[in-house]
Structure formats: C-alpha cells, structure tokens
Amino acid sequence: MTPAATITAPRGGANDMSTSGLTAADAGARPVMPWLPAPLREFLGVDGHRASGSEQALVSDALGALPRLSLWAAVMLMALAFAFNGSLRDEAWAHNGIWVALAALVWPFAARLLRTDVSEFERLGLLTVLGLGLFVVRILHNPLAFADHDEFLHWRNVEDILSTGQLYATNPLLPVSTRYPGLAVVTAALVQMTGLSVFAAGLVVIGMARWIFVLSTYALFRAMSRDVRLASLGAFLCMASSNFLSFHGQFSYESLAIALALFSLAMALHLQRAPMRPFLVALPLFVAAVVALVLTHHLTAYFLLAALGLLTLATLVMDRDRDAVWRLAALTAVVFVLTAVWQRSAADHTSGYLLPILGQVRDRLVEIVHTGSFGRRLFVSESGVLMPLWQRVISLAAVALIGLGLLTGTLRTWTLRDPQGGLAWPAVFMVLAASYPLCVALRLDPLTWEAGNRLGTYVFVAVAFVIAHAVAHHWQGRSASAPRSAIVACALTVLVIGGALAGAGPLMQRGPYLVGAESRSVEAQGLRAAAWTREHLGPGHVVASDRINRLLSATHGRQRVVTSLHDGVDVSPLFLASQFDEAQEQLVARVGLEYLVVDERLATSLPFVGHYIEMHEQPAGHHEPVSLAALRKFDGMPSVSRIYDGGAIAVYDVKALGRAR
Amino acid sequence: MLEALFLDPLRIVLAVALLVAPAGYLLRRLPEESLPPAVRTVSKAVVGVALLIVVGVLLDAVTTLTTWHWVLALVLVVGGTLAWRRWSAARRSDGLPAAPVLDSGPAFALPAVRRADLVMLLAALGITLGAVALARAGAREALQAPATELWVARTEAGVTQVSVRNLEGQSMDYRVEVRAGSRVLERWRVASLDSGEQAVHDLAPLADKSPVQAIRVELFRADDTAPYRHLVIAR
C-alpha cells in the first residue's frame, strides 16, 4: 500500500489509517454473502465495501451499520432467551439453538470489523454492542440471581458490608477476598445509594467492567499498531478467550480487575510516549486505576506488575530509549509500591492463600513430567458427560485456528514493530502469546486446570493481538473478496464459539438439576432449604454441606459455613463415609458444628466438577457416586435430629454430637 | 414489565450515572486531547470505580458505610474539586501560570444520528430488555418445582411445633403421624392446604409420651401409605 493510496480521515473523522485505511481498491467491492437476499445483506452491513471515494463518506455515515447490527444483536438475544427457556424445559432443539443463536449474533460483527471502510466510531460502537451483548447472554443464562460458584463468594462480601457497614468481615467461602474489597465496595455503594438489589447493582458494575475491558484492549492495540482495523479485530479476538463469555461475565473480583489492568496497560503505553506535561496530567488516571486494581484482586495486580516489569526490561534491552525506560520503571514502581503496601498492611495472608495452590500445581507438574500422563480426558466432564461431536469439532478447530493465527501472525507482529519505533511492546506480546500452548497444556489436568485457565486469561490478550495481525494482514489482508471475507468471518466466529465452549461448555445449557455442576445445581429445593435456615434458625450458625448447598447456605441462608479454606478442616467424610466414626465426631466438636445440610441427590451421579465437597476429598477421584446410605447415616442417630425435610434436602441438628465429647 | 426489569429501571440509570458522573465531572479538568479517544471514553468509568473504592475504604477507616455517609463523601469530593477549579481559575486570572495545555491528538466527532438509526437503536434496546424479561419469566417458572416442606421448631415458650408448607402448585391434603418406635403418639390431618400456605401444629410435651430415644414425625399425602416427608426429634 502506498501512502498516496491511503485515505486518511481528518481530525474528527475518526480514523487513523496509516496502515489499514481506505484504499482505492476498497471501492466497488462485491458483497460478502452473495447468496443472502440483498436487503438482508444491506441490513447487516455486509453487502461489500461501499464505494466511499472520499473521507467525507466516513464522517457523514460514521454510525454505519451500528444501528442495524445492534438491532440484529437484540433479535439474536431474544432468540437466545427463547432457547434458554427451552433448555430449562430440556427441549432438545434448545440445547443446540443456544449455540446457533450465539454464532449468528457474532458473525456479522466479525464480517463488519474485517472491512476497511468502517469508521473508528463505528468500530468502537460495534465492539461495545458485541461486548455488552455477550454480557447480556450471561444475564439471560442466570436472569434472577447470582448462580455461578464465584458469584456467591463475592455476593457474601457485599451482604456483609450492607449488614455491618464495615469491610473485612470474615468470609469462610473465600477468606482472602475480603481483603480485596474493591468489587464489593462499589457494589455496596450502588446498592446503598440507589436502592438496587445486590444482583442488579452487581450487573451494573460487571457490565461497566466489560465495557472498560473491550475499549481498553482496543486502545492498547490501537496505540501499539496505529491501525484501527487491526485494533478492533484484536479487541474482537479477546472475546474468543475461554473466560470472556463465562468467567469474566461473573460477579467476581477478577472480572473487574482485568478490566482495570488492561486500562492501566493502555495508559502505561500512552504515558510512555506522551510529552512531559500530558504525562503529568494523565498520570493520576493511571494511579487511580492501579489503586482500584490493587484493592480489587491480587493475581491481576501481580500480572500488571509482571507485565510492566517485563516491558521495562524489554525497552531497556531492545529500544534503549532512556526516557521510555525511566517512565516505565516509574510506573512499574508505582504498581509495586501500591501492591506491596496494601499486601503488607491489609492483605498479609494473600501469600498463605496463593502459595499452597502454586505448590500443588508445581508438584502436579513434576508428576506429569515423570509419568507423562495428564489426568483429564478431553471433552469429558468429571462426571463422564461427553461433549457432542460438533462441539468437539468446533473446539479443536478453534485451537487449530489459534495455532495458525500465532504462526502466521508472529512474524508479521515482529516486522511491523511499534509504529513509533519501539520493539519492546510487540516483542513482549509475542513472548506472552508464545506461552499460550503451555496454558492449553495446563488445562489438560484437573489439578493444573485452574492455573492454566487463569494464566490463559492474561496470555490471551497477547494472543489476540498476534492473531489480529494474522487476520488483518494475511487471512483477510486488504482483500475485498466475498468468499474470503465470509470464510474469515466464519473462522473468527469459530474462535469465539470455541472459546465459549472451552469456558462454559455443557453448562451453557440450562435444564434439570445436575450434581456438583455450578449453576446447573442451583435450583428451587436448595434455595428453599437455604432460605428456611435463615428464616427459622436465624443467621450465623455453623453449617456444613456440599459444595453447592454450602454456597446457598452462606448467601441465601446467611450461615457460617465450614470450609477447608477458612477452618482448615475437610468435612467431606461427614457426607461421604459410610459410617459415622470417632474421627468425624472429633471433627464436629472441633469446628463447633451445629447443622448439616444433606442433599440426597448427590447419590444420583458423579459430581460434574469432580468433587462433592472439597477438591481433594478423594485423591484418586470418584469412580462411583456417593452411596445413599452414607448420606442417610444421620437419620435416627442418637443425639441427632432431622429438623427439616424439603424432599431431597434435609437439615440435621448435630449440636449434641459436639457437646457429647 | 417493570418488575421483570429489576423493579425500577431508573435505579439502574442512577447507578450508571453514579459510576460515571462524579468522575466525568472531575475529568472535565483534563484537556480533551490529553488522552487517546478510547481511553478517554472509558476513563470516566474507571475513575468512577476507583473513586467509589477509595472513598469506601477511607469511609470504613473512619466510620461505617451507610447511604448518608456515601452521599456526604461524594458531595465533599465533588465540592472540593469545584472549589479547587474556582481557585485555579482565579489563580490564572491573577497572572499565574495556567494549567498545562496539551498537544492535540485524534478525537471523535460524534456523528449525526438519523431518525431511522435512532429508531433502530431504541428498538434494539427494547428487544434486549424484552429478552431479559422473557428469560426471567422462564427462570421463575422453573423455580416453581412442586414440593412440600416439613420441619420442626421449638418456640420461645418451649413448645415444639411441626410445620407443613405446601408448594405443590395445587391444594393438598396431608396426614401427619408422630411415632415413638411403632407406637403412634399423635395423628392429625391438614385438609385442603392451598399452595403457598403453611400449617402449624403444636406437639404435646414429648417427654411424657415416650420412653424411647427418638420420635419420628411422618407426613403422608392424602391416602399414601409411604411417608412423603419425615423428621426425627432426638431427645
């Protein structure tokens, strides 16, 4: 592309197209999907590149296809709502219908972003609509209340703030989370000042975080590449992360923190290059974001610190720009000092929480290296549920496309460099992207899955940047070929669907109760039992239960549940052992256990996530469901009263067992 | 419809405004061209979040988090900024150096929105809200799984009460038996208990009635012979 052929928008024209602006070749292109009726192609804005011979066309029609694609997304969300409702009734069409509607939602956005004649304003609008649209998918999935595991952990923190007016209350579900109160504080503030429910306020906060996430990745990639098309494709590809649709749509501290981290990273790049006065003016914004991040999530703060440290080092070695190095070093120091001060003063037991987990991962990795075998069967849940064939194919295709994208994008990323002459940022992103296969490998074992999943969250930002280069320069390039555009848009859609499958998988479907299956296990009986404990026993009693009813007891029931994280004991023998023995009696006495909530449905199946109560309850894994006799052993036991029967769930009063010792 | 959309959509608008508006006001101090467009766009939300977090942590250090404390703190922050701005403006008028003016950078020009575009955007919003309402209605329906709850509780006066709650979605007839071993201590019927309703029965003092360790309370549906729910009261 010669500079002369580039149509550059003026200030206010919303395009900086030094590398992928409009060219004369864009004019008069053919439609992307010629077999679709022309009105529908026109409606979706995929009717080929319009012959916009001047920059004025971009300015006057800057909304472009945004209104039409917003309407399209809304219609697909309505289709998803129907599909989710059908899925709740276990109707066969609905289970696949969810994914079809999701793909139909995503594809036109991919096709539109691939085009070269789309204004920056429209691109930002498209990313906002798609990012928030995928967040609405999460709302449609659980539209009444928080229902995923981590959401309960943080909901409890908000409830504690609302009931006591104080931070840092004890949260037995995740003790360390109270020391990172950012998410809970913001949510509690909205609840207290607007009268919203915690659920609605939480959705507002996480929706806002989603918006910050999408636009921050765009800003980061745009600053690195000076290419609005590549940046928007990169931000789109971030949505193909396995955590984007599910985990980062949850009411969880990482969902807010990763958005703040990406904003901080975008600010750091800006501050590295800005003249001194703008640097000083904008620096407080960076500090504000980092303060919020440090008070919100430990791991993400460490990630930002590591990323900035790496970038400082890379800039020192590769760019030798002393000014940039000093600035990056100063920003890194800001993150380090704030993180260290907070950890020393208020969150000193963070390492006590994280180090054992990292130790387990390390030990397991050593074991894997020695044995050469991973403990997880691909596409099979811990309860033995096999993913449908088409889902397996899409998942593998997504991984293959990521591999292809990394291969074809890496060289391009390197040769393009930072347009302002720097090599460091692209180099660091390439190194991070190259570590993606390690994240995938870690996901192949149940004990390292979590580490791979969390690491993959951060690494995928770099992966998206590299693949965006591949898409913008190789897969689609500057071609306006209709079949090519259609195929590349399909590939991008496969990446997003593949990511969603890896993150949510079968749990994306609603439907009847499943054992130990996160939101699929949260249903009427459990909610009623938890509400009953609150209403009739009062809050704050010491309660033990399985993984799901424990969450419900702690939040809906407001009970003080027993967990290995908080109490340092494993109560799983109380539920899994066939007989009550002295060790269990000691356990009851040690934690001062008052009530047991026993769900007899646990005996109907293996747990979907691999454990009923605590992760290491059965080191060799469960091979058959817990026996009904084990769950019923308290029935009729001397000193134990069965005080509630809601059908599958019973509540036992075991206070006398503890007193007996 | 309003109920399906979290009772009060205006509160959601207020919540978004609370996240963005105070920070947006603070950021008016920043020259428009000082940040890249996308960063500037989201910076209001980021600073809004940061502001609430910092104010919350500081409030917790000195008092409790209540509605009035939040409002007071935010008024102080915004008022303080306003005062600072006025002082800064007065300083400039006294001939002192002005706040830094920054290099210009790329900025957005908001495009003119055509009527058809506006209609489509509003329709999109309406359909999305409709989708949420539909999903909520479906989820509520799923929560109506039929069930009966049976429980025992002791009142402050020391009376043991057995309660039955009908959640079967239809009127039900129940029979309750209290046994000590094979001996029936008490038996009563709960006739035509409407769905959603609850029946409570005071047990006679149990200690006088049975020498055995545990008492079993069994609930039967209509003429069922097998208990539908049961409780055990240890003594």
Side-chain angles (χ1 to χ4, degrees):
Chain A
M1 185 179 69
T2 62
T6 304
I7 298 170
T8 306
R11 181 170 172 245
N15 261 348
D16 179 355
M17 297 189 167
S18 57
T19 57
S20 72
L22 274 179
T23 67
D26 296 331
R30 289 185 301 154
V32 171
M33 300 283 277
W35 55 88
L36 281 180
L40 184 58
R41 288 203 309 268
E42 169 70 22
F43 180 80
L44 295 177
V46 293
D47 57 329
H49 299 174
R50 247 178 252 163
S52 48
S54 75
E55 61 201 33
Q56 196 56 39
L58 287 176
V59 180
S60 62
D61 193 24
L63 276 185
L66 180 60
R68 285 166 284 164
L69 285 184
S70 300
L71 190 54
W72 174 259
V75 171
M76 287 305 107
L77 289 174
M78 181 60 86
L80 272 161
F82 276 108
F84 278 130
N85 283 355
S87 181
L88 272 171
R89 295 187 291 270
D90 213 14
E91 292 169 6
W93 68 269
H95 298 318
N96 290 336
I98 290 168
W99 295 103
V100 171
L102 194 58
L105 191 162
V106 170
W107 186 87
F109 285 84
R112 185 74 185 169
L113 290 172
L114 279 170
R115 293 169 56 135
T116 54
D117 62 342
V118 176
S119 73
E120 183 172 25
F121 187 90
E122 183 185 340
R123 288 182 189 279
L124 285 176
L126 292 172
L127 291 171
T128 298
V129 169
L130 183 59
L132 291 179
L134 293 178
F135 178 62
V136 173
V137 174
R138 285 278 313 155
I139 299 176
L140 299 178
H141 189 258
N142 295 315
L144 292 179
F146 298 124
D148 275 303
H149 184 272
D150 284 21
E151 294 184 319
F152 288 99
L153 318 182
H154 300 286
W155 178 15
R156 168 73 187 234
N157 288 339
V158 180
E159 289 287 356
D160 284 338
I161 293 174
L162 294 175
S163 61
T164 65
Q166 296 286 326
L167 306 183
Y168 321 120
T170 303
N171 181 349
L173 294 172
L174 186 59
V176 75
S177 67
T178 62
R179 296 289 158 175
Y180 294 89
L183 175 68
V185 165
V186 178
T187 310
L190 296 186
V191 171
Q192 290 183 317
M193 285 193 282
T194 65
L196 279 173
S197 67
V198 176
F199 178 58
L203 292 184
V204 170
V205 176
I206 300 301
M208 195 67 82
R210 171 59 58 89
W211 184 55
I212 296 169
F213 180 109
V214 171
L215 291 201
S216 296
T217 50
Y218 172 83
L220 180 65
F221 296 161
R222 187 188 188 284
M224 286 173 70
S225 66
R226 293 278 163 161
D227 183 336
V228 293
R229 177 166 168 257
L230 189 148
S232 61
L233 286 168
F236 173 92
L237 283 161
C238 281
M239 301 181 201
S241 160
S242 60
N243 284 329
F244 187 83
L245 182 69
S246 54
F247 191 64
H248 287 153
Q250 291 182 20
F251 181 67
S252 166
Y253 54 2
E254 189 175 305
S255 305
L256 176 60
I258 191 154
L260 295 170
L262 287 168
F263 177 84
S264 305
L265 216 48
M267 282 297 298
L269 182 54
H270 172 69
L271 291 171
Q272 181 195 344
R273 297 166 171 174
M276 185 49 76
R277 282 189 165 185
F279 175 87
L280 294 175
V281 170
L283 184 61
L285 279 183
F286 174 82
V287 175
V290 173
V291 167
L293 169 63
V294 166
L295 293 174
T296 299
H297 190 227
H298 38 78
L299 268 182
T300 313
Y302 303 156
F303 155 74
L304 180 65
L305 182 59
L308 285 176
L310 207 56
L311 286 163
T312 307
L313 196 63
T315 306
L316 177 68
V317 173
M318 303 176 81
D319 293 346
R320 301 183 183 187
D321 177 348
R322 287 184 62 185
D323 190 38
V325 170
W326 278 115
R327 287 185 183 200
L328 274 176
L331 298 178
T332 308
V334 167
V335 180
F336 176 77
V337 168
L338 289 171
T339 306
V341 165
W342 183 251
Q343 191 158 329
R344 293 281 294 181
S345 60
D348 53 347
H349 51 283
T350 307
S351 52
Y353 165 65
L354 291 175
L355 290 179
I357 297 174
L358 293 175
Q360 287 165 10
V361 171
R362 182 201 58 211
D363 293 346
R364 180 59 188 155
L365 281 176
V366 170
E367 201 178 320
I368 289 171
V369 168
H370 280 117
T371 61
S373 67
F374 292 97
R376 205 175 148 210
R377 288 169 60 202
L378 270 181
F379 307 120
V380 181
S381 79
E382 297 291 329
S383 59
V385 177
L386 179 66
M387 282 173 93
L389 179 62
W390 74 263
Q391 292 188 5
R392 282 176 271 159
V393 170
I394 293 286
S395 299
L396 288 175
V399 172
L401 284 169
I402 289 172
L404 181 66
L406 289 177
L407 284 175
T408 52
T410 299
L411 189 60
R412 188 75 195 190
T413 310
W414 180 254
T415 53
L416 270 182
R417 301 185 176 193
D418 180 338
Q420 289 199 344
L423 270 172
W425 284 71
V428 167
F429 271 59
M430 280 165 49
V431 169
L432 282 175
S435 67
Y436 180 72
L438 172 67
C439 302
V440 176
L442 287 171
R443 290 173 64 103
L444 296 178
D445 189 87
L447 293 177
T448 57
W449 183 92
E450 186 75 20
N453 192 45
R454 294 300 177 91
L455 190 60
T457 294
Y458 309 117
V459 166
F460 205 87
V461 175
V463 170
F465 182 65
V466 173
I467 299 178
H469 277 88
V471 174
H473 297 291
H474 295 300
W475 295 12
Q476 176 70 24
R478 307 212 48 76
S479 168
S481 155
R484 190 166 169 176
S485 294
I487 291 169
V488 174
C490 284
L492 296 181
T493 306
V494 165
L495 283 170
V496 173
I497 300 298
L501 282 167
L507 296 184
M508 190 71 171
Q509 298 166 8
R510 307 295 304 278
Y513 170 87
L514 292 178
V515 175
E518 313 293 32
S519 60
R520 281 290 294 273
S521 309
V522 177
E523 49 62 72
Q525 285 201 51
L527 292 170
R528 283 181 199 138
W532 180 86
T533 62
R534 184 176 190 168
E535 188 181 341
H536 293 276
L537 302 179
H541 292 286
V542 183
V543 171
S545 190
D546 61 273
R547 176 181 161 87
I548 298 300
N549 285 298
R550 186 169 65 194
L551 296 172
L552 299 177
S553 297
T555 49
H556 290 274
R558 302 286 300 146
Q559 304 301 333
R560 214 295 261 158
V561 295
V562 181
T563 63
S564 61
L565 272 178
H566 180 260
D567 300 276
V569 296
D570 179 3
V571 294
S572 57
L574 292 173
F575 300 87
L576 305 181
S578 56
Q579 291 188 332
F580 188 75
D581 58 22
E582 195 179 338
Q584 292 173 50
E585 199 173 335
Q586 288 173 356
L587 184 61
V588 170
R590 184 175 160 195
V591 298
L593 193 62
E594 295 178 83
Y595 299 99
L596 279 173
V597 179
V598 179
D599 191 336
E600 293 185 355
R601 292 172 297 183
L602 301 186
T604 59
S605 152
L606 289 170
F608 190 89
V609 296
H611 54 278
Y612 292 105
I613 294 119
E614 297 286 355
M615 188 173 276
H616 302 291
E617 66 197 16
Q618 183 68 270
H622 292 282
H623 301 293
E624 57 185 31
V626 56
S627 74
L628 198 54
L631 294 171
R632 286 183 173 168
K633 62 179 171 283
F634 293 97
D635 236 21
M637 185 185 290
S639 317
V640 176
S641 293
R642 178 182 166 111
I643 58 172
Y644 170 88
D645 185 347
I649 298 178
V651 178
Y652 293 93
D653 180 342
V654 296
K655 290 195 286 284
L657 278 182
R659 283 199 297 267
R661 289 192 63 80
Chain B
M1 183 71 169
L2 286 181
E3 188 182 346
L5 298 173
F6 314 122
L7 296 172
D8 191 352
L10 286 178
R11 286 176 171 162
I12 293 180
V13 175
L14 179 60
V16 173
L18 274 170
L19 274 177
V20 176
Y25 184 77
L26 294 178
L27 291 180
R28 284 176 63 197
R29 184 73 192 146
L30 282 179
E32 279 206 355
E33 297 81 11
S34 60
L35 292 170
V39 172
R40 190 169 53 243
T41 306
V42 291
S43 60
K44 295 180 182 69
V46 171
V47 174
V49 167
L51 186 66
L52 288 180
I53 292 174
V54 172
V55 168
V57 170
L58 292 177
L59 271 180
D60 177 72
V62 295
T63 178
T64 53
L65 301 177
T66 64
T67 303
W68 290 112
H69 289 159
W70 276 113
V71 172
L72 184 65
L74 288 181
V75 165
L76 280 175
V77 169
V78 175
T81 308
L82 182 66
W84 176 70
R85 289 187 64 191
R86 286 191 173 167
W87 173 79
S88 180
R91 197 162 152 250
R92 276 204 300 276
S93 67
D94 289 345
L96 292 171
V101 175
L102 306 172
D103 295 340
S104 64
F108 297 123
L110 285 178
V113 180
R114 292 172 301 196
R115 191 175 300 169
D117 291 343
L118 191 63
V119 168
M120 275 192 274
L121 289 171
L122 288 175
L125 183 64
I127 293 170
T128 303
L129 294 177
V132 174
L134 181 71
R136 286 171 66 86
R140 278 210 185 91
E141 193 181 317
L143 283 180
Q144 304 304 315
T148 297
E149 291 178 302
L150 174 70
W151 69 90
V152 63
R154 189 175 282 267
T155 66
E156 287 179 1
V159 177
T160 304
Q161 292 184 325
V162 173
S163 302
V164 183
R165 179 152 50 202
N166 173 18
L167 298 166
E168 301 282 351
Q170 59 181 338
S171 178
M172 296 287 290
D173 293 328
Y174 297 105
R175 176 165 51 89
V176 184
E177 291 182 2
V178 181
R179 296 172 176 274
S182 59
R183 186 174 144 223
V184 177
L185 302 179
E186 257 188 282
R187 178 184 288 141
W188 69 92
R189 284 188 176 275
V190 181
S192 303
L193 186 64
D194 288 336
S195 186
E197 294 297 311
Q198 177 180 322
V200 182
H201 179 86
D202 291 354
L203 285 185
L206 299 172
D208 301 335
K209 292 194 173 179
S210 168
V212 297
Q213 271 286 327
I215 289 172
R216 194 174 163 92
V217 181
E218 294 180 338
L219 173 86
F220 299 81
R221 282 183 301 191
D223 298 322
D224 279 1
T225 52
Y228 184 46
R229 303 279 184 263
H230 76 274
L231 306 171
V232 179
I233 305 171
R235 299 169 55 216

